[in-house]
Amino acid sequence: MNCTIDYDEENDILYIATGQKASDSIDFDDFVIDYSKDGMITGVEIMKSTEFIGKFGLSKEFLAKATSARMSVVQGREYALIKIAIISPMGVKEIQVPSPVPQAIVS
């Protein structure tokens, strides 16, 4: 799914969104995951993003130049693996965010 990407360099926060409306979110560690009312992931916010993306070999410069992103989700009963391809003039790099699934969706 094609997504928009917004990087707040001053606060080091990365936000990737599908454009669909979020009705709920879960916060864990340095992440906020937004969900639609039907349980689909609509956005991912990563605080301390340069620290996190560094684990995947990406730099702050890469984030600052990012133009768009693609997101896919492998969702299990209790956890989801969010795969995000970040697109920049410097190339395309993938990061992965493991996420718990909200209890309202599991129930």
Side-chain angles (χ1 to χ4, degrees):
M1 175 178 307
N2 290 327
C3 299
T4 59
I5 188 167
D6 181 39
Y7 176 55
D8 177 347
E9 194 168 353
E10 183 177 329
N11 296 302
D12 195 25
I13 298 171
L14 177 64
Y15 186 66
I16 296 105
T18 65
Q20 297 174 338
K21 185 176 179 174
S23 63
D24 196 8
S25 64
I26 57 171
D27 301 323
F28 65 98
D29 299 330
D30 290 324
F31 304 95
V32 177
I33 309 297
D34 296 329
Y35 285 86
S36 66
K37 64 181 175 184
D38 61 352
M40 301 301 294
I41 294 174
T42 62
V44 177
E45 186 173 10
I46 305 170
M47 276 62 79
K48 300 180 188 171
S49 58
T50 52
E51 181 181 321
F52 179 74
I53 66 161
K55 298 173 186 175
F56 298 92
L58 280 77
S59 66
K60 187 173 188 173
E61 179 186 11
F62 187 90
L63 273 189
K65 293 183 178 184
T67 57
S68 62
R70 289 189 302 268
M71 181 168 49
S72 62
V73 179
V74 178
Q75 192 159 330
R77 194 143 165 79
E78 296 181 17
Y79 286 90
L81 180 62
I82 306 164
K83 297 180 181 182
I84 302 167
I86 301 173
I87 302 157
S88 143
M90 299 170 70
V92 178
K93 300 285 185 172
E94 186 175 287
I95 63 173
Q96 297 182 359
V97 179
S99 168
V101 174
Q103 288 298 42
I105 294 170
V106 174
S107 304

